[in-house]
Amino acid sequence: MRKFATFTAAAILAGALGMTGAMAQTPLRLSVETPEGEPLNYMLRQFAAALETEAPDAFEVEIFDGGVLGDEIAQMELVRAGQVDVVPMGSDVVEIDDHFALFDAPFFFPDAETARTALDGELGEMYAASLLERTGLKLLAFGELGFRMITNNVRPVVVPADLDGLKLRTPGSSTRIMAFETLGAAPTPMNLGEAYLAMQQGVLDGQENPFGTIREMSFHEVQKYLSLSRHVYTPITLVMNAKTWDGLSAEEQEAVMAAAAAAKAASRAQSDENTASLLSEFEAAGMEVNEIDLAAFKEAVPPIYEEIGAIVGPEFMDKATTVVEGK
């Protein structure tokens, strides 16, 4: 656990004079599954730093990272229960709001800019309303994990048949598991922190994650093949417990949203930097890199879309498709 506490000038002066009654700070507990440097952790820390800039001495912030409070599923339950106040969520958010199954639909977003524009606009508003209604969480901002790539130790993945039988670590997302099963793989949900050893020991053949997570979790050290599948785009969904939000003053709420906007910008900038720089690092580490046959994969995914569409709901799915396609 890492604790970040701030102290007002008045409190310091009061202490120096032997006085009591320092100005009260609003406590905020922030938690994340991953270690420092990994994109989820990075966005959360950027939020904490920006909050101090936006509202100096207004908040007393504690950060629990590295999974000390559990994996992502546990983080989501903690924030819903109000035991922590702010968490960044990756793929597993679908387990508390099935509208997020959209992000498990292969090749739904053609590029990052399309995804960002949609999430900063009408699609983001749809998700904010859904999260509040279904989970009691206030959406603060969408950061970016990015497009996910497939790594493994058996063979390059070029066409869907190359996935046959591969034991791939996935998040707990039931729709991600379904998608890989449909394509012939053997998806294995596992805590992210356990995947390195499982791949090193051969319990797993591989995994699928964006560049930043692959690097920060050192997966490139225990994986031979990197297939640039870009099969799904994963945002970072930064949320606050809605009761915590409602308990803030208007000025505090304004500072929180400004800090979230700064964290979003930093997260996306980190994602862009990772996309631009990490491929050469992976190749230098000895990974064999290949492109996939995109046409072959798109030919194989209609059954996945049909099932995901049923889970998301036709109305939400159709509206989201219209937003993303710019119609």
Side-chain angles (χ1 to χ4, degrees):
M1 180 190 77
R2 301 171 187 274
K3 181 173 180 178
F4 292 75
T6 55
F7 300 90
T8 64
I12 295 172
L13 179 61
L17 298 176
M19 297 162 55
T20 61
M23 293 173 61
Q25 295 174 296
T26 298
L28 284 181
R29 293 155 296 179
L30 283 54
S31 185
V32 63
E33 175 189 10
T34 55
E36 269 192 82
E38 192 278 334
L40 287 159
N41 191 308
Y42 179 78
M43 184 178 185
L44 192 66
R45 287 180 175 277
Q46 290 295 310
F47 170 75
L51 195 60
E52 175 61 18
T53 299
E54 294 293 334
D57 306 324
F59 297 93
E60 183 179 8
V61 175
E62 286 184 287
I63 298 180
F64 302 87
D65 67 359
V68 296
L69 297 184
D71 62 11
E72 187 163 290
I73 299 293
Q75 307 286 323
M76 294 189 298
E77 293 307 316
L78 288 169
V79 73
R80 293 180 72 187
Q83 293 176 295
V84 298
D85 301 303
V86 179
V87 302
M89 301 183 293
S91 296
D92 285 339
V93 63
V94 69
E95 297 303 300
I96 57 172
D97 184 347
D98 57 17
H99 283 149
F100 280 83
L102 175 72
F103 293 99
D104 287 330
F107 316 112
F108 186 81
F109 294 98
D111 52 59
E113 284 309 311
T114 298
R116 293 171 181 178
T117 299
L119 290 173
D120 288 346
E122 189 174 3
L123 185 60
E125 293 169 2
M126 291 163 61
Y127 276 115
S130 182
L131 276 170
L132 188 59
E133 177 185 352
R134 294 180 168 208
T135 70
L137 297 176
K138 165 71 176 176
L139 175 67
L140 300 182
F142 280 111
E144 186 169 288
L145 274 167
F147 283 97
R148 302 176 86 93
M149 314 294 176
I150 298 168
T151 70
N152 81 98
N153 284 323
V154 179
R155 56 183 169 264
V157 174
V158 179
V159 297
D162 294 324
L163 287 170
D164 284 352
L166 290 185
K167 299 187 294 291
L168 299 179
R169 180 270 171 189
T170 66
S173 165
S174 56
T175 39
R176 183 77 52 78
I177 294 167
M178 176 274 296
F180 274 105
E181 286 177 341
T182 301
L183 294 172
T188 305
M190 181 180 290
N191 186 310
L192 189 65
E194 298 172 359
Y196 181 98
L197 186 60
M199 289 186 289
Q200 186 181 52
Q201 294 180 341
V203 176
L204 290 175
D205 296 318
Q207 59 84 54
E208 49 91 50
N209 261 299
F211 279 176
T213 303
I214 293 171
R215 195 269 302 276
E216 294 304 327
M217 302 304 292
S218 301
F219 293 156
H220 59 294
E221 296 178 357
V222 291
Q223 293 279 267
K224 183 175 181 180
Y225 301 105
L226 168 61
S227 301
L228 304 178
S229 52
R230 305 177 185 90
H231 50 284
V232 292
Y233 172 90
T234 303
I236 298 173
T237 307
L238 185 69
V239 297
M240 173 179 277
N241 178 280
K243 290 182 180 178
T244 300
W245 170 262
D246 290 340
L248 301 179
S249 68
E251 293 77 11
E252 288 173 328
Q253 289 180 349
E254 184 178 353
V256 164
M257 294 308 290
K264 172 182 73 175
S267 170
R268 291 176 179 178
Q270 184 200 43
S271 179
D272 286 339
E273 182 180 349
N274 288 340
T275 299
S277 65
L278 291 185
L279 186 58
S280 59
E281 182 177 327
F282 296 150
E283 289 177 317
M287 298 189 84
E288 295 184 24
V289 179
N290 70 276
E291 294 283 351
I292 64 166
D293 184 337
L294 183 58
F297 269 91
K298 286 188 172 181
E299 204 173 303
V301 299
I304 299 172
Y305 267 78
E306 184 176 349
E307 190 160 346
I308 286 178
I311 293 169
V312 173
E315 183 179 350
F316 195 99
M317 191 77 175
D318 290 347
K319 191 171 183 181
T321 300
T322 299
V323 170
V324 169
E325 292 180 351
K327 295 179 180 177

